[in-house]
Amino acid sequence: MNKVASFPVQETACAARARKAEPVLRAVELGKRYGHHAALRGVNLAIEPGRVNILFGENGAGKSTLISMLAGANVPSDGHIEIGAHRGVFASVAQARAHGVRAVFQEFSLVPHLTVAENISLGEEPLARLGLLSRAGTRARARRLVEELGFELDVDARVSDLARGKQQMVEICKAVAQAPRVLILDEPTASLSEHDAQALFALVARLKAEGTAIIYITHRMHEIPLIGDSVTVLRDGQHIATVPAATPEPELIALMTGRTLSAIYPGVPAVPQARQVRLTLDGVSTEDGLVVNANLRLRAGEIVGIAGLVGCGKSELGQACYGLRSIARGEMRLDGCVQRFGHPAEAIAAGLWYSPPDRKRDGLALMRPARENMTLSALLFGAERGKRLRPGAETATVSRLCGQVEFPVERTVEPVGNFSGGNQQKVLLAKGLAQDVGVYIFDEPTVGVDVGARQSIYQYLSRLSAAGASILLISSDLSELMGMSHRLLVMRGGQMVAEFERRHYDEQHILEHFFE
């Protein structure tokens, strides 16, 4: 969990007027159909200036469809949008921007080979004499904006070289560079560090005080009362209710899911001290210097959490174990054997699996059916491996995997790109289960996943641990790590700087080790 504080901002005259003003944007009976499927039905929404409206719902509830239409990235099948003198729909993102609506989506719209500064100004570049683009003006504008927002960004860095959290900051900078009337933020803290999440919340507070209307999507429920004014709940493509942001969590969950949920974390069974050590790191450092002198012991049936800021080295540690980064010094042992994998295939063959944080880019073939994604690498490393594809055995494997991760078997013939984030993540988890491995590294397994799907994933991890698997859980969500791990390690600057046993977990004390 990103622990955030409230940001008291003195109400400006603009914000005071905004409280009494008419909504800056209205969605009137918006609907969207894909063939016979209705993704959104008759949604009415009034977004007021100077207020933060939280859009809340499970994956697949219609949130992304709604904001894509408000931002001009999708055209409604029914209904219209009202903003200023505009009555109709937005035919393009450019048209929505012209009316002051800007969005930061989960899927970034950055140009990888351009710099941070060039991406921030793209399409709105400052001009020099003779109408030529001003490179110096572009850099100066970007530097001022980054400093003003309090983000840690190098404006000259190439976007393709940045971690996902840093790319998220670039998207936010782009969106607010031209003072939007309506700002849409879709899971903006999902990949941000504690420091940058704090900077984002300060920005939201400032924009709110200046009268900007904000639509904010999050699955992190602790964020809702901290920055929200109201919560609009969607379920199955319909508007269920709009309630105050102070509404208790159990009530919000019941509105979102149509049912009550028990405690989200299922609890983790105790691990006997005599259990076998499956994975050992002794003084491991990577060639790129992003992991330095890492030491680790992971026993059978144990879940060990790795916490830290974005860029602390926690993801790089998992990648080094899996052969995605070269180990320069130190020793890694898997089940007692010294290993230094040159390719992920070698790691899988030896009994280690790594689940990447960016499922769409690194984990799944989005255009292929779920069943193929689940079993693809198992054809070489799973129980059904062999020289020939056996459809009957594959079907049995897919059915078993679906039961383990609570995925609907009937949807395994659909392309993975059709699914919500939660179901995509379940396919990725099933893919790992299809291998003959006993050590799992899960890197951000619940990023962009709603509360209901998270509970399923946590139960899956708990069952896996109880069956004797060893799990290294890497996450930016501290509450997730505290709820699911037996032990917790903190990384900073590529090094392990602290270790906590479960009985000694204290959120504030753990967070103190994130910073020097």
Side-chain angles (χ1 to χ4, degrees):
M1 177 182 75
N2 282 329
K3 187 177 180 182
V4 294
S6 298
F7 293 92
V9 179
Q10 185 175 2
E11 186 176 54
T12 63
C14 177
R17 288 193 299 271
R19 285 191 296 105
K20 303 174 183 178
E22 286 292 309
V24 66
L25 180 147
R26 290 183 187 272
V28 181
E29 293 294 320
L30 280 189
K32 182 66 180 179
R33 295 185 305 276
Y34 296 96
H36 296 294
H37 173 65
L40 207 69
R41 291 173 287 176
V43 170
N44 292 286
L45 194 63
I47 304 300
E48 300 174 8
R51 290 175 63 83
V52 177
N53 187 66
I54 307 290
L55 199 56
F56 193 59
E58 293 186 275
N59 290 111
K63 304 185 303 296
S64 296
T65 301
L66 175 59
I67 64 172
S68 69
M69 293 189 291
L70 298 180
N74 203 345
V75 178
S77 303
D78 305 292
H80 66 275
I81 298 165
E82 300 176 1
I83 182 170
H86 177 83
R87 299 291 186 276
V89 299
F90 294 136
S92 67
V93 172
Q95 186 182 12
R97 287 185 172 186
H99 287 280
V101 181
R102 300 213 168 208
V104 177
F105 294 108
Q106 288 191 60
E107 301 302 317
F108 299 155
S109 58
L110 303 174
V111 182
H113 66 272
L114 296 182
T115 67
V116 169
E118 290 165 341
N119 270 277
I120 289 174
S121 294
L122 192 62
E124 298 166 329
E125 295 88 347
L127 301 179
R129 288 181 299 176
L130 304 178
L132 300 176
L133 298 181
S134 172
R135 190 175 298 272
T138 295
R139 292 178 69 251
R141 175 195 287 178
R143 187 176 291 109
R144 284 195 303 271
L145 182 61
V146 168
E147 290 175 354
E148 183 181 357
L149 298 184
F151 289 161
E152 295 177 344
L153 274 176
D154 177 3
V155 299
D156 296 317
R158 193 184 301 270
V159 162
S160 60
D161 295 333
L162 300 179
R164 182 173 177 81
K166 299 295 184 184
Q167 293 181 7
Q168 179 87 69
M169 298 175 218
V170 181
E171 283 281 12
I172 293 168
C173 289
K174 281 179 56 180
V176 303
Q178 299 296 325
R181 296 174 68 187
V182 178
L183 176 63
I184 301 171
L185 297 171
D186 187 4
E187 291 284 349
T189 61
S191 302
L192 293 186
S193 69
E194 170 70 15
H195 174 275
D196 293 316
Q198 293 277 0
L200 173 66
F201 280 104
L203 169 64
V204 168
R206 193 184 75 208
L207 292 173
K208 176 180 170 180
E210 293 170 356
T212 302
I214 298 172
I215 301 173
Y216 190 102
I217 297 178
T218 185
H219 292 310
R220 298 184 171 187
M221 299 195 66
H222 68 278
E223 296 180 352
I224 293 174
L226 290 170
I227 65 164
D229 293 295
S230 61
V231 181
T232 294
V233 181
L234 297 182
R235 186 171 74 234
D236 297 329
Q238 294 182 293
H239 178 200
I240 300 301
T242 295
V243 297
T247 301
E249 285 188 14
E251 293 182 28
L252 288 177
I253 292 173
L255 287 171
M256 178 184 76
T257 64
R259 63 189 186 276
T260 58
L261 292 180
S262 57
I264 187 170
Y265 300 110
V268 291
V271 179
Q273 292 296 320
R275 281 283 182 96
Q276 171 194 2
V277 175
R278 303 294 302 274
L279 178 66
T280 303
L281 303 181
D282 284 318
V284 168
S285 299
T286 55
E287 287 186 356
D288 55 20
L290 296 178
V291 178
V292 180
N293 196 33
N295 297 289
L296 173 72
R297 299 289 184 275
L298 179 62
R299 291 173 290 159
E302 187 178 33
I303 301 177
V304 172
I306 308 289
L309 302 177
V310 172
C312 70
K314 59 184 188 291
S315 289
E316 291 77 7
L317 178 71
Q319 292 160 8
C321 292
Y322 197 54
L324 292 171
R325 292 181 184 271
S326 297
I327 296 176
R329 294 179 301 280
E331 182 178 272
M332 179 176 77
R333 288 179 176 269
L334 184 63
D335 290 327
C337 298
V338 176
Q339 302 282 6
R340 189 171 290 189
F341 302 124
H343 190 277
E346 298 174 11
I348 301 171
L352 185 145
W353 177 262
Y354 171 78
S355 182
D358 192 337
R359 53 184 172 262
K360 294 188 177 182
R361 188 184 71 177
D362 301 323
L364 298 170
L366 298 179
M367 302 302 293
R368 304 306 303 167
R371 65 178 293 130
E372 291 184 11
N373 275 273
M374 290 179 179
T375 61
L376 185 60
S377 57
L379 298 177
L380 286 176
F381 304 108
E384 308 303 330
R385 57 183 174 270
K387 295 183 179 180
R388 292 182 299 126
L389 177 63
R390 292 172 288 177
E394 184 189 29
T395 297
T397 298
V398 168
S399 179
R400 171 177 61 83
L401 295 174
C402 287
Q404 288 178 279
V405 299
E406 300 181 15
F407 185 87
V409 177
E410 64 274 10
R411 299 200 65 185
T412 57
V413 296
E414 297 181 43
V416 172
N418 288 359
F419 301 149
S420 65
N423 276 335
Q424 287 182 357
Q425 193 66 30
K426 289 180 180 180
V427 172
L428 184 59
L429 295 175
K431 183 178 177 181
L433 275 179
Q435 325 302 316
D436 287 337
V437 300
V439 178
Y440 293 85
I441 302 174
F442 294 109
D443 196 347
E444 305 288 359
T446 61
V447 64
V449 173
D450 65 65
V451 174
R454 277 187 178 221
Q455 189 183 43
S456 295
I457 291 171
Y458 294 148
Q459 290 171 342
Y460 155 85
L461 295 177
S462 183
R463 289 193 299 267
L464 200 58
S465 168
S470 302
I471 299 174
L472 197 62
L473 180 59
I474 300 169
S475 178
S476 299
D477 189 336
L478 185 53
S479 65
E480 177 172 276
L481 292 174
M482 294 174 65
M484 289 302 303
S485 63
H486 296 95
R487 286 186 294 125
L488 195 152
L489 305 174
V490 178
M491 291 190 72
R492 186 179 70 237
Q495 302 183 58
M496 299 287 188
V497 296
E499 179 174 349
F500 297 88
E501 295 289 339
R502 186 174 182 85
R503 64 182 181 275
H504 295 144
Y505 283 178
D506 177 87
E507 183 176 4
Q508 188 59 42
H509 188 40
I510 294 171
L511 281 171
E512 289 171 358
H513 290 277
F514 282 34
F515 307 94
E516 295 185 22

